[in-house]
């Protein structure tokens, strides 16, 4: 991604040596000038805060008194903090069940829509719509109303003889409700899957058909391997995304993570510690643990991807 | 990428083993039945997926007595605008129109800032050769994967010490500094797809980077600029955590925060007004979606954006 082929082409067309180096100096100056907005933002809003967050995670800081160095105390305390451990459990449950289900729905619908038929544009848009509104406060409120006591979901289930009496107040059901909310927003990965499916050469399927392969074999031997880079991309992005759920958890639980801590997501607990209790050092330690966990998961994904992700770069 | 030199056209079905494909024979009975089944299945799924949105819109027009409880049909005989009248009154002495204006200021500011800063930075990444470009590009990509919670606490502390809490500065400054790596990446990818001969020719004619960027690149980047504008508007409009952290006075609240305040104070006593306000808060997003759906969906599929 560093050296573009334009450089060599350009130097070849430049007639003399001094002109080339003058151009190079001018390019460097122009490069940094154009990069200035991003560079400033990167230093002031990302690198700087990351360093201070790391420092704060080793301190006690309440925003009013000077930070007090306490070493690894925050990290040690975290693992004795039951609410923290609960928030880890809640978030893990959400990531482990929600993300694969969402991706499965996205892939299934993408395969359904990957054919030349009338109305595909309409279907694509309709299925994508929830992705756009799903993370909003409005939908969190609607979800709460729909899954509440004698809401439409409750009503619908009682039609089948299932009486749950609302999901919102029941700690055993809230996770299911949150997972349904994320699965419902399968549109974004679906559209990416669709773009990937369009890249698979049709003659592969034709050849497989002539060899007598059924739909399952075609999926396992053609669709899955050919689509694996896209599956990998979606899996990585959706997993990282799932760790960061906040607005819907906040709204559905009135900002408290209830009932019985069943919606105490990691970021919600981080927010409560940092901005309600003003334990900024403690919350910073939580933030760094999140970075480490997400980093490790990304690394594992990339390492294991070698065995199942096939990049057919030269097949283009 | 999409222009693959496959000799046959993409076929609709995968099960028929016949190797010869004749586009004229589309109207055979088997194909018709298959197509009908497809549409029945797809429409049923669409109905399921869109149900929550339809329920929300329908409930916003219904009297409280018909929301929840035994009567959950999407159709009511008592449709009225009463809920919207209540919702427009606002909360805490601030009218909903003010919340709307606040949201609009933030969203338009986000669009202007993001389009400007992301396109300028992306030009450097995509079109200028300078030492360290690869390294910076890698760092930019890494910020795509970074959980942003790691920066919110120090950012908050800094803005608090600068006395900028309860202003729009903390919410907008990142937009003007290309902090949304998504958009920078999107534009870099787009610019890399433009032929290099364009700026080479301009350079030979004596144009500098400012000219090349302003008069050649920007006009050609229209699709990327439109996608960026749409998404940064909608994301800013829906943003909840940022305003929750930085704004304290209700007359500065954007809609999502006002909505939460509304829910807190009315609780479940006035469901209708609550849902009507939810609809109002989503209205621009819904309108954007209906008008720009093609751009939005294609923007996602080509750039791998997330909603």
């Amino acid at each position: 991604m560093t050296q573009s082929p334009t450089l060599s082409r350009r130097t070849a067309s430049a007639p003399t040596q001094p002109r080339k180096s003058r151009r190079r100096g001018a390019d460097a100056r122009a490069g940094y000038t154009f990069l200035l907005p991003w560079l400033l933002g990167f230093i002031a809003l990302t690198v700087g805060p990351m360093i201070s967050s790391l420092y704060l995670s080793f301190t006690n800081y309440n925003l009013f008194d000077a930070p007090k160095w306490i070493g690894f105390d925050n990290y040690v305390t975290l693992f004795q903090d039951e609410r923290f451990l609960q928030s880890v459990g809640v978030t893990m449950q959400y990531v482990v069940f929600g993300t694969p289900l969402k991706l499965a729905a996205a892939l299934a619908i993408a395969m359904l829509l990957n054919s030349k038929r009338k109305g595909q544009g309409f279907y694509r848009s309709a299925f994508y719509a929830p992705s756009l509104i799903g993370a909003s406060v409005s939908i969190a409120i609607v979800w709460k109303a729909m899954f509440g006591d004698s809401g439409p979901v409750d009503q619908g289930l009682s039609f089948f003889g299932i009486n749950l009496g609302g999901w919102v107040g029941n700690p055993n059901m809230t996770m299911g409700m949150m997972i349904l909310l994320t699965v419902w927003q399968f549109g974004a990965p679906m559209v990416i899957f669709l773009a990937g499916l369009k890249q698979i050469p049709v003659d592969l399927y034709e050849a497989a058909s002539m060899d007598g392969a059924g739909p399952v074999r075609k999926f396992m031997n053609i669709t899955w391997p050919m689509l694996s880079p896209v599956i990998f991309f979606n899996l990585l992005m959706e997993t990282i995304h799932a760790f960061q759920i906040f607005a819907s958890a906040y709204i559905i639980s009135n900002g408290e993570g209830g009932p019985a801590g069943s919606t105490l997501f990691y970021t919600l607990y981080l927010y409560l510690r940092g901005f309600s209790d003003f334990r900024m050092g403690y919350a910073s330690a939580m933030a760094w643990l999140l970075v480490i966990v997400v980093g490790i998961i990304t690394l594992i994904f990339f390492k294991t991807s070698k065995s199942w992700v096939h990049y057919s770069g030269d097949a283009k | 990428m999409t222009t693959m030199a496959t000799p046959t056209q993409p076929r609709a079905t995968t099960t028929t083993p016949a190797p010869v494909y004749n586009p004229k024979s589309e109207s055979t009975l088997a194909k018709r039945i298959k197509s009908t089944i497809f549409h029945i299945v797809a429409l049923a799924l669409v109905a399921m997926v869109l149900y929550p949105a339809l329920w929300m819109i329908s409930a916003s027009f219904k009297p409280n007595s018909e929301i929840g409880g035994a009567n959950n049909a999407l159709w009511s005989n008592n449709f009225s605008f009463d809920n919207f009248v209540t919702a427009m009154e606002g909360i805490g002495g601030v009218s909903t129109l003010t919340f709307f204006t606040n949201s609009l200021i933030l969203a338009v500011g986000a669009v202007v800032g993001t389009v400007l800063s992301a396109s300028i930075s992306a030009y450097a990444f995509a079109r200028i050769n300078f030492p360290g470009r690869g390294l910076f590009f890698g760092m930019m990509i890494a910020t795509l994967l970074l959980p942003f919670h790691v920066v919110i606490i120090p950012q908050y502390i800094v803005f608090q010490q600068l006395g900028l809490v309860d202003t729009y500065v903390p919410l907008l400054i990142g937009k003007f500094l290309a902090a949304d790596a998504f958009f920078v990446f999107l534009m870099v990818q787009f610019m890399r797809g433009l032929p290099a001969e364009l700026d080479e020719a301009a350079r030979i004619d004596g144009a500098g980077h400012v000219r090349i960027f302003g008069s050649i690149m920007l006009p050609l980047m229209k699709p990327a600029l439109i996608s960026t504008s749409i998404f940064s508007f909608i994301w800013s409009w829906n943003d909840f955590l940022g305003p929750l952290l930085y704004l304290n006075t209700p007359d500065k609240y954007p809609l999502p925060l006002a909505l939460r305040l509304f829910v807190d104070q009315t609780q479940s006593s006035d469901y209708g007004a609550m849902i009507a306000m939810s609809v109002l808060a989503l209205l621009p997003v819904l309108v954007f979606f209906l008008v720009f759906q093609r751009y939005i969906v294609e923007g996602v599929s080509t750039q791998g954006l997330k909603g």
Side-chain angles (χ1 to χ4, degrees), chain A:
Chain A
M1 61 182 104
T2 50
Q3 293 296 350
S4 74
T6 48
L7 178 70
S8 51
R9 219 183 300 156
R10 215 181 277 150
T11 43
S13 68
T16 48
Q17 197 61 26
R19 196 180 155 187
K20 197 168 81 185
S21 64
R22 208 188 318 141
R23 159 90 67 79
R24 206 173 268 169
D27 270 351
R29 247 173 293 132
Y32 284 104
T33 312
F34 273 83
L35 204 61
L36 205 60
W38 177 82
L39 214 52
L40 276 177
F42 183 64
I43 294 165
L45 299 172
T46 306
V47 178
M50 276 183 79
I51 296 168
S52 26
S53 158
L54 186 62
Y55 165 71
L56 284 175
S57 76
F58 296 107
T59 68
N60 250 339
Y61 185 49
N62 61 8
L63 202 61
F64 309 108
D65 309 311
K68 201 176 129 226
W69 184 269
I70 53 165
F72 280 92
D73 276 12
N74 283 329
Y75 292 93
V76 175
T77 317
L78 272 173
F79 288 96
Q80 295 155 354
D81 177 351
E82 271 176 35
R83 298 241 298 156
F84 168 78
L85 296 175
Q86 184 170 27
S87 78
V88 171
V90 165
T91 308
M92 278 302 177
Q93 238 183 316
Y94 179 75
V95 171
V96 168
F97 293 104
T99 306
L101 279 173
K102 182 182 193 168
L103 291 180
L107 183 55
I109 303 285
M111 286 176 66
L112 183 72
L113 297 189
N114 186 35
S115 55
K116 279 245 181 322
R117 281 209 170 84
K118 264 187 201 150
Q120 293 295 40
F122 161 76
Y123 292 127
R124 270 198 299 171
S125 294
F127 286 125
Y128 181 74
S131 287
L132 216 52
I133 57 176
S136 67
V137 170
S138 300
I139 289 300
I141 288 170
V142 166
W143 218 254
K144 203 175 167 182
M146 284 186 51
F147 284 83
D149 216 353
S150 70
V153 175
D154 204 25
Q155 294 275 314
L157 286 175
S158 65
F159 179 79
F160 296 102
I162 307 166
N163 284 305
L164 293 167
W167 300 39
V168 180
N170 183 347
N172 297 321
M173 298 307 292
T174 45
M175 183 50 69
M177 177 177 86
M178 296 305 292
I179 287 174
L180 279 174
L181 178 54
T182 187
V183 173
W184 181 62
Q185 303 166 48
F186 64 82
M190 172 203 75
V191 172
I192 298 170
F193 276 138
L194 257 172
L197 286 170
K198 291 220 157 57
Q199 307 284 316
I200 302 177
V202 187
D203 31 0
L204 286 181
Y205 290 107
E206 280 166 6
S209 291
M210 282 196 270
D211 290 345
V216 177
R217 285 209 43 188
K218 278 190 215 159
F219 177 80
M220 293 310 291
N221 294 337
I222 302 172
T223 312
W224 186 269
M226 291 296 282
L227 205 60
S228 56
V230 182
I231 296 171
F232 176 69
F233 173 82
N234 273 337
L235 183 65
L236 183 66
M237 295 315 285
E238 291 298 331
T239 305
I240 292 173
H241 196 61
F243 272 104
Q244 304 182 41
I245 175 188
F246 180 78
S248 43
Y250 187 98
I251 295 300
I252 284 176
S253 72
N254 291 329
E256 285 153 14
S262 60
T263 56
L264 187 67
F265 284 89
Y266 197 91
T267 53
L268 182 55
Y269 188 52
L270 191 157
Y271 169 83
L272 291 174
R273 277 307 195 188
F275 296 96
S276 296
D277 307 343
F278 295 109
R279 292 186 61 179
M280 297 279 181
Y282 198 76
S284 296
M286 277 190 75
W288 265 94
L289 279 181
L290 183 64
V291 170
I292 291 166
V293 168
V294 167
I296 290 172
I297 287 175
T298 307
L299 209 69
I300 292 173
F301 275 1
F302 272 101
K303 288 276 178 211
T304 56
S305 72
K306 289 196 180 92
S307 65
W308 66 276
V309 177
H310 307 275
Y311 290 101
S312 51
D314 19 43
K316 270 171 198 168

Side-chain angles (χ1 to χ4, degrees), chain B residues 228-249:
Chain B
T228 301
S229 307
I230 294 171
F231 277 101
S232 70
F233 186 95
I234 291 173
W235 289 352
S236 164
W237 192 273
N238 280 340
D239 184 28
F240 177 66
L241 180 57
L244 179 70
L245 287 180
Y246 286 111
L247 301 176
N248 313 322
T249 36

